[in-house]
C-alpha cells in the first residue's frame, strides 16, 4: 500500500471488508474470496474471486464515471483492494430486471428469459436479519429510508446505469439479465452508486451460447452448483478488459 495507511476494520460483509485509512475521506475495500448464496446458507472459498470482482467492478465503475454516473469509486491498489469515498449507504437493494430470472420466476408465473420492457425495478430491504425482503410501496413508505424526491433520484440513476451497462455488455456478447445496485450519499449529499458491480451482483448470459446452463457467466453457477465459477468470472473480465481501459491505481 502507498499513498495512505490502512486503519481499523470498519465493517465486514459477506464478500468484502471495509477499512478506515489515515485520510478522512478515503476508505479501503478488500474483496474476499468467500462466496455465499441464499443469505449465507451456502458458502465456499473460491480462490481468485476477490481479485476478479475487484477488477471487473473497478472497470465498470470507471466506465460509469466516464459516462457521467457518480460512484464512490476512486481507484484500485494491488489485485483485490479498491479505494472509495465514504458513503452513507441506503439500506435498499435496487434490482433492475431486463429479462425474467431468479426470484422473479419463483414468485410469479413468468418463464426465465422473458423480456421485461420496460425493465422491472424492484426494491428490497437490505438487512440480513430479515433476509432482504421485497418491499411493497406501503412498506417502503413506512420504513421511510428515503424521501419521495430521493426515491425518484435513485430510481433514475439505477435506470441510467442499466442503459449504460446493457449497451456495454451487449457489445461484448453478454446479455445483462438483471443486477443489484446499492446507492448512498456522500458527506456533501451527492447520491452515488456504491458497493460493487460484478458477476456476484449481476446475471450475465453469453449471447453466443444457447444452452440455458452453459450460457451462465455469473454467481448462478455457484447458486446452482454448475461449477466453473472462476472460469466464468474470468471470461467476463477478459471481455470487459477488451473494451474498457484501466483500472487506474489509486495514488
Ligand atoms: P434475484 O433474482 O435473486 O432477486 O436477484 C436479482 C439480482 O440481484 C441478481 O442479478 C443477483 C442480485 N443479487 C445480489 O446482488 N445480492 C443478493 O443478495 C440477491 C438476492 C441478488
Ligand atoms: N448475496 C446473498 C448471500 O450471500 C444472496 C445471493 O447472492 O444469492 O447470501
Amino acid at each position: 500500500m502507498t499513498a495512505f495507511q490502512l486503519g481499523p476494520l470498519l465493517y465486514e460483509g459477506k464478500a468484502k471488508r471495509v477499512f478506515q485509512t489515515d485520510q478522512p475521506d478515503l476508505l479501503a475495500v478488500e474483496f474476499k474470496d468467500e462466496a455465499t448464496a441464499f443469505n449465507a446458507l451456502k458458502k465456499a472459498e473460491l480462490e481468485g474471486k476477490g481479485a476478479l470482482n475487484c477488477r471487473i467492478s473497478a472497470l465498470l465503475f470507471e466506465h460509469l464515471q466516464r459516462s457521467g454516473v457518480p460512484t464512490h469509486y476512486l481507484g484500485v491498489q494491488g489485485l483485490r483492494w479498491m479505494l472509495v469515498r465514504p458513503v452513507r449507504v441506503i439500506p435498499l437493494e435496487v434490482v433492475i430486471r431486463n429479462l425474467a430470472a431468479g426470484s422473479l420466476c419463483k414468485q410469479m408465473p413468468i418463464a426465465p428469459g422473458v423480456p421485461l420492457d420496460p425493465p422491472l425495478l424492484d426494491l428490497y430491504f437490505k438487512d440480513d436479519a430479515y433476509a432482504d425482503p421485497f418491499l411493497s410501496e406501503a412498506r417502503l413508505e413506512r420504513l421511510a429510508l428515503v424521501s419521495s424526491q430521493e426515491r425518484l433520484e435513485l430510481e433514475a440513476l439505477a435506470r441510467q446505469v442499466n442503459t449504460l451497462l446493457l449497451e456495454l455488455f451487449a457489445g461484448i456478447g453478454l446479455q445483462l439479465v438483471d443486477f443489484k445496485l446499492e446507492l448512498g450519499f456522500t458527506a456533501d449529499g451527492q447520491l452515488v452508486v456504491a458497493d460493487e458491480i460484478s458477476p456476484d451482483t449481476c446475471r450475465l448470459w453469453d449471447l453466443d451460447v444457447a444452452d440455458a446452463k452453459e450460457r451462465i457467466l455469473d454467481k448462478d453457477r455457484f447458486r446452482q452448483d454448475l461449477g466453473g465459477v472462476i472460469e466464468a468470472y474470468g471470461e467476463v473480465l477478459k471481455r470487459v478488459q477488451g473494451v474498457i481501459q484501466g483500472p487506474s491505481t489509486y495514488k
Side-chain angles (χ1 to χ4, degrees):
M1 298 264 164
T2 52
F4 61 90
Q5 292 289 319
L6 208 55
L9 177 69
L10 280 182
Y11 168 81
E12 177 155 9
K14 293 190 288 271
K16 297 183 291 299
R17 289 188 194 94
V18 181
F19 293 82
Q20 219 157 13
T21 69
D22 59 348
Q23 296 172 34
D25 49 357
L26 186 72
L27 301 180
V29 181
E30 183 190 17
F31 282 69
K32 305 196 287 184
D33 280 346
E34 270 141 57
T36 68
F38 313 117
N39 204 16
L41 283 177
K42 184 179 169 84
K43 283 189 207 169
E45 183 85 5
L46 297 176
E47 203 187 326
K49 185 184 80 96
L52 285 162
N53 278 352
C54 181
R55 211 163 183 85
I56 294 167
S57 231
L59 290 168
L60 295 177
F61 279 139
E62 289 189 13
H63 175 71
L64 291 176
Q65 282 181 343
R66 281 195 282 265
S67 310
V69 172
T71 83
H72 69 159
Y73 172 84
L74 293 171
V76 292
Q77 187 81 236
L79 284 179
R80 57 163 79 220
W81 288 87
M82 183 181 284
L83 286 309
V84 303
R85 289 192 279 170
V87 161
R88 179 173 60 81
V89 175
I90 304 161
L92 284 176
E93 297 202 334
V94 182
V95 171
I96 298 216
R97 303 174 189 277
N98 295 304
L99 302 184
S103 67
L104 184 70
C105 302
K106 294 201 177 101
Q107 291 165 0
M108 54 187 265
I110 186 163
V114 169
L116 302 162
D117 190 16
L120 204 57
L121 190 152
D122 288 334
L123 297 176
Y124 297 81
F125 181 37
K126 183 178 166 53
D127 191 322
D128 285 345
Y130 295 95
D132 300 345
F134 178 81
L135 291 173
S136 64
E137 284 297 322
R139 289 181 188 199
L140 255 169
E141 215 171 294
R142 182 72 179 79
L143 274 171
L145 300 171
V146 286
S147 67
S148 48
Q149 182 55 39
E150 289 166 344
R151 164 96 183 272
L152 287 176
E153 237 183 283
L154 77 85
E155 294 200 356
L157 195 55
R159 288 192 185 276
Q160 188 187 352
V161 170
N162 184 45
T163 304
L164 290 164
L165 293 184
L166 254 181
E167 190 185 353
L168 174 88
F169 283 124
I172 50 175
L174 297 173
Q175 170 68 53
L176 177 61
V177 176
D178 58 27
F179 65 100
K180 182 263 303 182
L181 286 184
E182 292 179 29
L183 299 106
F185 295 100
T186 56
D188 55 3
Q190 189 186 22
L191 182 67
V192 300
V193 178
D195 193 51
E196 68 177 280
I197 307 176
S198 73
D200 266 13
T201 63
C202 301
R203 284 196 173 89
L204 294 164
W205 293 348
D206 191 334
L207 282 164
D208 289 334
V209 178
D211 184 85
K213 289 200 160 109
E214 277 176 35
R215 69 187 175 189
I216 296 172
L217 294 175
D218 57 67
K219 193 166 153 189
D220 272 349
R221 299 205 72 82
F222 174 69
R223 296 190 187 97
Q224 298 176 31
D225 290 319
L226 299 175
V229 181
I230 291 300
E231 291 76 5
Y233 285 35
E235 178 62 25
V236 172
L237 175 61
K238 193 178 93 187
R239 294 194 198 187
V240 171
Q241 270 173 336
V243 290
I244 306 177
Q245 304 292 316
S248 325
T249 296
Y250 179 81
K251 289 193 183 75

